[in-house]
Amino acid sequence: MARSTSKDAQALFQSLRSAYTATPTTLKIIDLYVIYAVFTALIQVAYMAIVGSFPFNSFLSGVLSCIGTAVLAVCLRIQVNKENKEFKDLAPERAFADFVLCNLVLHLVIINFLG
Amino acid sequence: MSKSLVVFTLITLLPFLCYAFSPENPTDRKVLVLLDDFAIKSSHSLFFKSLQSRGFHFDFKLADDPKIALQRYGRYFYDALILFAPTIERFGGSVDSAAILDFVDSGHDLILAADSNASELIREIATECGVDFDEDPAAVVIDHTSYTVSETEGDHTLIASDDLIKSDVIVGSQKIEAPVLFQGIGHTLNPANTLVLKALSASPSAYSANPKSKLSSPPQLTGSAISLVSVIQARNSARILISGSLSLFSNRFFKSGVQKAGSPTKYDKSGNEQFSVELSKWVFHERGHLKAVNVKHHKVGETDEPAMYRINDELEYLVEIYEWSGKAWEPYVADDVQVQFYMMSPYVLKTLSTNNKGLYHTAFKVPDVYGVFQFKVEYQKLGYTTLSLSKQIPVRPFRHNEYERFIPTAYPYYGSAFSMMAGFFIFTIVHLYNK
Amino acid sequence: MARNLVPFLVLLFWISICQAASIFQPISDSHRYAALELFRPTDGVFGSLEETYEVLRTFDILGIQEKPDINAATCKSVSEVLGSSAALKDLFYALNVNGVLKCEIKEEIYESITSRLRTVLNDARSLSEFYYSIGSLLLLKEQSSGVDLSLMDADGIFQSIKALSQSDGRWRYSSNNPESSTYAAGLALEALAGVVSLASSDIDQNMIGTVKNDILKLFDSIEKYDDGALYFEEKVVDAYEHHGPLATTSSVVRGLTAFTAVTSGSLNLPGDTIFGLAKFFLGIGVPGDAKDLFNQIDSLACLDTNRVSIPLILSLPATVLSLTKEDQLKVRVNTVLGSVAPRLTVKIVRAFLSGSKDTSVIEGEELKFDTQTSLHILEAFPKTFDVGNYVFVFEIILHDSEQMDIYATGGRIRVPIYVSGVVKIENAEIAVLDSDLGSIETQKKLDLVGESVVSLSANHLQKLRLLFQLATPQGHGFKPHQAFLKLRHESGVEHIFVVEGSGKQFEIILDFLGLVEKFFYLSGRYDIQLTVGDAVMENSFIRAIGHIDLDLPEAPEKAPRPPLQPVDPYTRYGPKAEISHIFRAPEKRPPKELSLTFLGLTFLPFLGFLIGLLRLGVNLKNFPTSTVPATFAFLFHLSIAAVILLYMFFWLKLDLFTTLKALGILGVFLVFVGHRTLSHLASTSAKLKSA
């Protein structure tokens, strides 16, 4: 039984991988950006777990900057993805403009809270 | 001619006006002495002379003189009262026990002497002041182990006491070597009363009883609980001296020698004169009268007094304390004046250090609790007037921009924020122009 | 000069303290010392002439030789006053002073004064005019030799003075003034006496008789103290000049003695009057006021030589005698001024214990006179004489019976005398008994002379018994005035009991069962203290006997609380312990290296991102080629970078308001440029799609 499950997992993994390579580069860039943001957040959480949450405002600020920008990137990916029927009428540039403005506001808030 | 006379009279009156009792000038000047017999003026002349030589003006009157009055329409004629009338049943004029208590309540001093035939009125006044004389009117203080060796007094009612209060400010800094002669009635102090002090106590074998009759039940007053001379410092700094013996102040006792029973030392002069004179100096505010002025506080490094402090500020507190010496305000030197930083309970209590010229100062850090605090100086020392100063000051927490910034612990967070911003910038470029 | 007398006096006479209530001490050296103290000259004079006269007269009476030297200055002022037309009063006192100092005054002055005085006397209306003028004339009679001073109209003057008298024996100062005073009576009597002695012919005896009646009426108003002293007092306080009892009585005494000295016949005054007056003056002791001292000494001098009766004062140098020291009873009899009395014997009529009047211990014993010390001494007490409070009744018997009219002995004089001695205390023991049975649980002997202490314990069902025996030197039982047993709890609550006794045995039993409530149910250690004392017991003592541990039951809820004990005043005040605020501990911070490590770690994903981008093979092919769009695109990214740099400065230095202002400007620019760039990109991609 175990062998069949590991064989199934491998087969699943392979199919996922091949499907992913089919995605356009733009989206891959966004994915990479999101992964980068999440990793940065994880490192900060690990640090907080070690030393405690002393400048809590700085911790929140750092983590939220990563998470916030990740969320905005995910929104951008959804809106820019051509296979997404919902956002067919939305110009990708428009989505990008929203992304940029939201990020700038996010970073203003982050810097204010950073201390 | 008449004009210059008027001017001259006014000028001569000026010193009297200047020397009138006032908080700035607390030594009493005009004293009313009520006697029940003018012979007391002569038999106690040494005591009165010693006071007069220090600048007091006396008005001797009989206690039942119908013209005596302490005050009229709220204005007091005298600064102090000496009651050497132990047998008086009723005062004359407008004086009665309520008037005397009002006199004391308004901040004036009183010396009261009772004797073995003290009247109800005198006992009542003493009770109102805080001491209780023996209820038995025939009782006097008897002591069979601490009496004065005498060839003419055999009933041991003339006692020699050397149990004085240990306070240099009340009995003077010079030790009174010889015992003090006392013949009269004893009193006790209510233990709940914190304002009364025993200036001269009886020995443990003393008791208050009628020497002519046998004792069937134990006497009410015995031992060291009997006070022979007490002093009271009221909360408004009025001082009262109550003595159970009028002859303690008499010329006879001042001049006589004394030998205490059981002691081989014979003193040529009793301690009465020194004791009475020193006590009178204390009662009339020539010693132990303090005033505190110029309370100041400021942040270390500044000179202005701020309206509010912030937690963890360093501040300095200054106060000037002076003692009245009978003629002028002298700097007060002590090492136990303390200031409290108080809000419901003292958060900080520090002893003030002095520059020996009357200025007391200390510095401390404001606690990290915020609220409305008070600088409290509650100085109570045996024999000195109470100093009670209080100054309110609020303490605020940090403002939003007074917190610590650029903390090393938070470097990773700063780094991540900026790295995200950099990443965002790169991303915008790459995202737009990638094909 | 005066200083030489002082140490001598201090050495010899400065031990005595005061006189007993019914014993009056005659004038002694303490008065002389006081006189020197009180009368001190300033700048060679004693103040006014009146004061100078008082000083000189006092020194004269007391026999003080060491007078300060004021002769020169005083004589000068005396002659000035006598030469000028000074006031009558000054003249009177100047003559008085002259009488003592005997200054050199010329006869002419005396004559002029005499004629002036005669004129004044003829027109005199008020009492003080009469008094001063007659007094001056009397003094002139002694001082000058040549002048004729006899009064012609003595009767008339006598009448005018008499006319001012009142029915109650007092005198008015003048006919205008209705107030009468006793002091004025004294002055009037002196003036009348002066008139009688200056009269050229005898005064009508009837008038003298009426004056004597006036004196008797005056003496009806005499006041009396409890100890037998008699004095006069002014009734009206507000009178012309208020004089206290001493001044008033002195004035009356002067007047009385002067009047009786010049008139013959006797005055029917009650026998004790002179004695009572002497007691009043002696009872003052040593006055502290100069004028009072003068009045006292002057009056006593008048009494000492008066013609009614001269008082003899019986005094005892010691009324407390000790059997252990074998003191002898000594009695002294003097005149009021302390000078030697005539030959007499002092007899003890009877002596008895003050409690039992009926049984006399001594009866009818005469004292032996010791010529060296001038004291009357009782050689020895009877063999059975014991300690106690005695009352001795003395009587003075004059040797010369003729002198009985001249001297007043004071009758029977009662003197309380304390005879003290050592009271033996023995057989003292303390025991704890079981309540009902009475059996002894613990019993210990007490040594009340030594220092040993006992330690006992008891519970509330037991009793404490203390007993001891007291015996006088003669072996009789003795009941001391003070016999207290005191139990003091550790908390300070005290309980006192009187130890009752009969005969020699003294016993107290404390039944703790009954005392539980009185003791406020306080268990614990109680210190036991025994105090035994009496006025005649030389070895009165207060002894801490030991302690007892009492076990009492628990207090019920409603039991009374023990009384508050006084707080020791020395510990009540005092500086308090210092308090310094403990600040909240700052957060524990990790070592800097850890933070720096993680700072580095944070940049790793960024690097990963960059590497990932390169791996994906990104390119910038879509960058606009033509100039304008390219510029806009460039500016777009530049402005994004500028905003980010602004944020960096905001974090480092700027505050929010400045940043927002700058952001507003940059934002507008960014939006404009971005719009252009993105619309260009959008149109480019649309073209591509359509193509």
Side-chain angles (χ1 to χ4, degrees), chain B residues 151 194 207 222 349 351 405, chain C residues 319 481 496 572 578-579 651:
Chain B
E151 294 186 330
T194 51
Y207 63 104
T222 53
L349 200 156
T351 310
R405 299 186 72 190
Chain C
T319 51
H481 194 243
I496 302 181
R572 196 195 295 163
E578 290 209 356
I579 305 172
W651 184 68

Side-chain angles (χ1 to χ4, degrees), chain C residues 221-467:
Chain C
S221 68
I222 207 165
E223 305 267 345
K224 191 170 171 173
Y225 277 137
D226 288 337
D227 52 10
L230 300 171
Y231 66 101
F232 288 97
E233 205 172 37
E234 293 284 23
K235 291 290 178 284
V236 183
V237 177
D238 236 7
Y240 169 54
E241 248 182 61
H242 174 59
H243 297 278
L246 178 58
T248 317
T249 318
S250 313
S251 164
V252 174
V253 164
R254 277 193 277 267
L256 174 73
T257 47
F259 195 74
T260 51
V262 297
T263 55
S264 57
S266 60
L267 201 59
N268 290 333
L269 278 176
D272 289 337
T273 317
I274 299 293
F275 215 84
L277 288 169
K279 278 189 197 172
F280 171 70
F281 289 113
L282 290 175
I284 295 171
V286 181
D289 182 47
K291 191 145 186 110
D292 286 349
L293 183 64
F294 163 71
N295 277 329
Q296 182 195 39
I297 302 289
D298 191 38
S299 318
L300 286 172
C302 291
L303 286 176
D304 208 30
T305 54
N306 83 90
R307 277 190 48 192
V308 182
S309 57
I310 300 178
L312 287 173
I313 305 292
L314 184 141
S315 57
L316 276 78
T319 51
V320 178
L321 306 167
S322 162
L323 283 180
T324 26
K325 284 191 262 178
E326 294 182 10
D327 287 337
Q328 288 178 317
L329 180 68
K330 297 182 184 148
V331 175
R332 183 186 282 129
V333 180
N334 296 105
T335 61
V336 289
L337 288 180
S339 41
V340 177
R343 289 185 40 229
L344 50 82
T345 315
V346 178
K347 184 166 121 175
I348 302 175
V349 176
R350 51 193 289 254
F352 52 90
L353 276 169
S354 57
S356 47
K357 277 183 126 170
D358 306 320
T359 44
S360 312
V361 178
I362 302 176
E363 218 160 323
E365 180 109 11
E366 283 191 1
L367 298 179
K368 190 163 163 319
F369 181 68
D370 182 6
T371 36
Q372 279 184 327
T373 55
S374 324
L375 292 169
H376 301 261
I377 303 176
L378 180 67
E379 300 259 80
F381 287 112
K383 289 270 184 317
T384 53
F385 202 62
D386 210 356
V387 296
N389 294 10
Y390 289 90
V391 176
F392 277 65
V393 183
F394 294 101
E395 198 176 40
I396 299 175
I397 304 166
L398 289 160
H399 286 181
D400 192 355
S401 51
E402 285 173 5
Q403 290 177 328
M404 301 257 295
D405 294 330
I406 310 174
Y407 290 99
T409 57
R412 298 227 166 137
I413 303 158
R414 295 164 73 101
V415 179
I417 292 188
Y418 290 88
V419 180
S420 65
V422 173
V423 173
K424 274 197 295 281
I425 176 160
E426 50 201 7
N427 296 339
E429 59 181 41
I430 189 164
V432 173
L433 310 170
D434 276 325
S435 188
D436 294 330
L437 306 170
S439 64
I440 298 172
E441 193 187 298
T442 31
Q443 184 172 22
K444 298 209 178 138
K445 280 246 171 285
L446 286 176
D447 177 16
L448 290 174
V449 179
E451 293 284 322
S452 58
V453 292
V454 300
S455 157
L456 301 164
S457 64
N459 61 36
H460 68 286
L461 296 169
Q462 294 175 317
K463 301 186 203 180
L464 178 74
R465 183 181 73 185
L466 171 75
L467 39 84

Side-chain angles (χ1 to χ4, degrees), chain B residues 338-353:
Chain B
Q338 291 179 320
V339 66
Q340 293 177 10
F341 201 55
Y342 178 92
M343 176 169 74
M344 313 282 219
S345 73
Y347 280 81
V348 176
L349 200 156
K350 278 201 93 166
T351 310
L352 296 166
S353 45

